Amino acid sequence: MRNVLTFAVLFTIGPALVRAQAPPEPLRLTVDDAVQMALRSNLDLAVDRLDPQISDLRVAAAAGLFRPTVGTSVQRNNQLQPPTSFLIPTATRNDVVSSNVGLSQRLPRFGSSYSVSWDTTRTSSNSFLNSYDPLVRSGLAVSVSQPLLRDRSLDGARANLLLTKNNRAIADTRLQERVVHTAADVKTAYWNLVSARANVEA
C-alpha cells in the first residue's frame, strides 16, 4: 500500500520536478525591447515623472491668486433694552439681520483689482418711535484699485506664477533628458553585450 501511495505521489509531482530542474530558456530581446524594459523599471525615471505633475499643481496654486473669489456672510443681532424713562415704560426689542455677498478678483495685468458687494440689513423693533417696522436697507458697492507707481510691470504674485511655469518647463526638460540618457545607456550596454558574445563565439 505504501509503494502504491509513493508511486501516485511521484506520478503526480514528477513532471513538475522535471520542469523545475530544467534550465530556463534564454530571454531573447531586441534593442527596442531592452530600452522599453529599462524605461518601465528605472526608479529614477519614476521619480522624475512625478516632477512635472508636482509642478502642474504649483502652477495651478500660483494661478489661483488671479481667480475670482466669492464671499458671503449672514449676521443676526438681538437686543433687549430695559425701560429707560417713564415715557417708554416697556422694554425695547431690536432684531437686526444683515447679509453680504461679494465678488473680488486680482487681475493678472498692471496690479489691478476690483470688488463688488451687495449689502442688505433688515431691522425690526417694537419701539413706537420707529416709523417703519420692519426697516429694510440695501446697498451696492463697487471698487477698483489701480496702483500708479507700484506693481505695474511685475508684482509678487505674477513673479511667482512665472517662476512656477519656468520650473514646470525645466521639470519636463529634465525628464526628457533622463529618458534620452537612459535609452542611450541601454543601447550602448546592449551592443557591447552583442559584441562580447560575438567575440566569445569567434
Side-chain angles (χ1 to χ4, degrees), residues 49-160:
R49 286 189 184 99
L50 295 177
D51 286 341
Q53 300 175 16
I54 295 172
S55 297
D56 286 337
L57 294 176
R58 290 176 178 164
V59 170
L65 295 176
F66 299 101
R67 292 196 178 99
T69 303
V70 177
T72 182
S73 65
V74 177
Q75 296 179 350
R76 182 170 184 173
N77 186 13
N78 294 320
Q79 292 181 350
L80 184 61
Q81 297 178 349
T84 57
S85 66
F86 66 92
L87 296 177
I88 305 175
T90 61
T92 303
R93 179 186 55 81
N94 290 323
D95 189 7
V96 180
V97 178
S98 60
S99 62
N100 173 273
V101 177
L103 172 69
S104 61
Q105 182 181 11
R106 183 173 190 169
L107 300 178
R109 297 178 61 89
F110 309 118
S112 304
S113 62
Y114 71 89
S115 65
V116 180
S117 62
W118 176 263
D119 300 315
T120 59
T121 303
R122 181 182 185 275
T123 305
S124 61
S125 176
N126 63 349
S127 175
F128 64 90
L129 298 178
N130 292 340
S131 301
Y132 301 99
D133 187 38
L135 178 63
V136 179
R137 297 177 182 175
S138 62
L140 175 67
V142 178
S143 66
V144 177
S145 174
Q146 173 60 59
L148 295 178
L149 301 177
R150 181 176 57 86
D151 298 338
R152 288 183 59 85
S153 61
L154 190 65
D155 58 5
R158 282 181 285 173
N160 188 29

Side-chain angles (χ1 to χ4, degrees), residues 30-32 34-35 38 179-197:
T30 64
V31 64
D32 293 332
V35 169
V179 169
V180 170
H181 283 309
T182 302
D185 293 341
V186 170
K187 289 180 180 180
T188 301
Y190 180 87
W191 291 118
N192 288 339
L193 179 61
V194 170
S195 176
R197 184 174 180 181

Side-chain angles (χ1 to χ4, degrees), residues 51 55 58-59 162-172 174:
D51 286 341
S55 297
R58 290 176 178 164
V59 170
L162 291 176
L163 180 63
T164 54
K165 286 182 178 180
N166 289 337
N167 288 338
R168 171 63 175 86
I170 290 172
D172 197 15
R174 186 182 298 120

